[in-house]
Amino acid sequence: MAILCFFALTPVGANPYLEDPDDRTFDYDDSQDKPWIENEAEIPPPPDPSTLDELQITGLPPGFTLLLDLERLAVDPVDRVIRLWLVLRSKEGHDNTSFEGYRCASGEYRVYAYADPRRDPPVREMTRSTWREARGSMAQNYRRHLLKQTFCGLRGARTPTEIRQAVRSGELRDPLIYR
């Protein structure tokens, strides 16, 4: 019985797709890359408490629930930022209401404004708001959980309809997709 062996004619480790195997440079012109630019965010009035949807997730401080204003949730078609009102409610009934934006491409969030109906005016816009990375595990950071399980999919930001369906049905993103 004869065993035939065929050996590649290219040296081990050589890239057969390069015209010149000795040329290890990669020619990429980053001047053609378009930088991401955020669109101006219009802050809507605070949500009516009767229109909020509760989301059961990990990463909340003990004794708190998370409520989302899904009726006015928006995904900007140009900058792909998901913007909505969030309410963190303590078991005593105190609310911490914030208007926030989420970027799936970078895993970041930004707080645009806080609301308190006892103040005049009730909405306080943040003047030096910046994008921040949602760090830590999903079990310790509700914003990271929102990004990875609720707002973002394989192709980036989910549509408002997909987000509403995920929250209302409880069928959030498959945890095997994200770390």
Side-chain angles (χ1 to χ4, degrees):
M1 174 188 219
I3 298 176
L4 298 175
C5 294
F6 294 97
F7 294 96
L9 298 176
T10 57
V12 175
N15 186 340
Y17 301 105
L18 292 176
E19 290 180 22
D20 179 7
D22 294 328
D23 182 14
R24 301 279 184 218
T25 61
F26 180 70
D27 190 23
Y28 178 75
D29 182 11
D30 63 354
S31 68
Q32 300 301 313
D33 290 347
K34 294 180 182 176
W36 179 79
I37 299 173
E38 180 181 11
N39 287 341
E40 187 77 23
E42 183 177 321
I43 300 170
D48 183 296
S50 66
T51 64
L52 298 172
D53 287 271
E54 184 176 345
L55 180 61
Q56 297 289 328
I57 62 170
T58 61
L60 292 174
F64 281 84
T65 57
L66 181 64
L67 305 160
L68 308 175
D69 181 10
L70 297 179
E71 296 306 315
R72 292 183 293 165
L73 169 129
V75 179
D76 189 296
V78 177
D79 65 13
R80 304 299 296 158
V81 173
I82 301 158
R83 295 182 179 93
L84 76 159
W85 282 102
L86 297 171
V87 177
L88 269 177
R89 182 169 289 157
S90 71
K91 61 183 174 184
E92 291 84 21
H94 301 288
D95 290 348
N96 182 5
T97 306
S98 58
F99 185 70
E100 301 186 6
Y102 291 84
R103 286 188 64 205
C104 294
S106 62
E108 295 175 306
Y109 73 94
R110 178 177 176 184
V111 178
Y112 294 101
Y114 288 101
D116 185 346
R118 298 171 293 180
R119 276 195 307 235
D120 187 33
V123 176
R124 182 175 46 114
E125 189 171 341
M126 303 301 295
T127 56
R128 295 186 181 187
S129 174
T130 60
W131 287 99
R132 297 174 181 248
E133 183 181 354
R135 299 178 184 219
S137 70
M138 288 189 287
Q140 299 170 337
N141 186 335
Y142 72 90
R143 289 182 171 117
R144 182 164 172 83
H145 194 285
L146 286 170
L147 278 163
K148 299 297 182 186
Q149 296 284 8
T150 309
F151 296 154
C152 306
L154 291 175
R155 65 185 191 285
R158 296 166 104 179
T159 66
T161 301
E162 290 172 330
I163 294 170
R164 285 184 196 101
Q165 287 174 347
V167 170
R168 290 177 177 155
S169 71
E171 295 178 16
L172 302 176
R173 181 60 48 198
D174 180 2
L176 297 176
I177 295 175
Y178 299 102
R179 292 182 193 129

